[in-house]
Amino acid sequence: MSSADGTAGSSLGRVSGESAAYPLHGSVGDFGTERGAGVADEAIGYRGPTACAAAGITYRQLDYWARTGLVEPSVRPAYGSGTQRLYSFRDVVVLKIVKRFLDTGVALQNIRAAVQHLRARGFSDLERMTLMSDGATVYECSSPDEVVSLLQGGQGVFGIAVGVVWRDVEAALSQLHGERVDTGETLVGHNPQDELARRRRDRAV
């Protein structure tokens, strides 16, 4: 099995009857067809500024990653100056993961392989996945035993629990505006600060 940087690498042995963690390879695919609920619903898209706010990145980063093909909007690309990119919920999860990898110094070509791998996995796979990296290779782990095995073997230096990122993005987007893909209707997120302000106004009347 090839490693994320394109060099040859072997998968780890089995641990406690579980399938072993393995280096990510650049298999290109699409997310599974499962539909999420709420902000994760694939019928809802998010504009660039909203995606940036939820992923914790700048618009300049978002634009550069889209133009270089690192993370492109799967709902609607920008066709020209008059169109707005529209990102899916899972696009935003990937954006946040890319940001974390970059912050820890993982090479861009390895991040590209990880992004391709994430896009090939379904909803339930992502929720229980942990991505580990030693800075040179990115590994997928789907059980605590696999994480321990990597750490004991010296490969894993840091990890990203995709399920945790998923929930962070879900919480952030629930307070921001989305857009229905079919009708273009703006969906207003629930902002606790807005609700508090409304209650204060009601009391003042």
Side-chain angles (χ1 to χ4, degrees):
M1 183 172 293
S2 63
S3 65
D5 59 3
T7 59
S10 58
S11 61
L12 302 179
R14 291 181 179 273
V15 182
S16 302
E18 297 282 337
S19 59
Y22 56 88
L24 301 186
H25 51 83
S27 59
V28 181
D30 204 352
F31 275 117
T33 57
E34 299 93 340
R35 292 283 293 273
V39 296
D41 193 321
E42 292 180 5
I44 300 174
Y46 301 93
R47 294 194 175 194
T50 300
C52 289
I57 61 175
T58 66
Y59 193 85
R60 183 175 181 180
Q61 287 175 306
L62 183 83
D63 182 61
Y64 179 73
W65 295 350
R67 286 189 291 104
T68 58
L70 178 61
V71 185
E72 297 177 282
S74 62
V75 178
R76 185 175 67 212
Y79 295 109
S81 58
T83 60
Q84 290 274 350
R85 296 188 184 105
L86 211 57
Y87 290 81
S88 71
F89 170 80
R90 283 179 271 191
D91 292 339
V92 182
V93 172
V94 173
L95 287 169
K96 194 173 183 73
I97 290 172
V98 169
K99 170 69 161 52
R100 292 193 177 183
F101 273 135
L102 286 173
D103 288 346
T104 51
V106 176
L108 188 59
Q109 67 183 104
N110 296 335
I111 295 174
R112 285 186 182 277
V115 168
Q116 291 171 342
H117 187 81
L118 287 168
R119 289 192 175 280
R121 306 307 296 268
F123 183 95
S124 58
D125 293 326
L126 292 178
E127 194 172 15
R128 62 173 179 265
M129 182 189 300
T130 298
L131 298 178
M132 304 288 292
S133 180
D134 56 4
T137 305
V138 179
Y139 299 85
E140 176 195 334
C141 300
S142 57
S143 76
D145 287 338
E146 293 171 9
V147 175
V148 172
S149 180
L150 272 174
L151 292 173
Q152 289 177 340
Q155 289 98 332
V157 174
F158 69 92
I160 298 174
V162 178
V164 173
V165 176
W166 187 283
R167 289 187 289 275
D168 287 348
V169 169
E170 193 169 35
L173 288 177
S174 69
Q175 300 181 29
L176 300 168
H177 297 344
E179 181 177 315
R180 287 199 62 85
V181 176
D182 52 354
T183 64
E185 175 190 0
T186 298
L187 303 174
V188 179
H190 170 68
N191 189 323
Q193 292 181 340
D194 291 344
E195 179 67 16
L196 181 60
R198 185 188 65 79
R199 291 179 180 178
R200 286 173 175 168
R201 286 196 303 271
D202 290 345
R203 285 199 301 268
V205 174

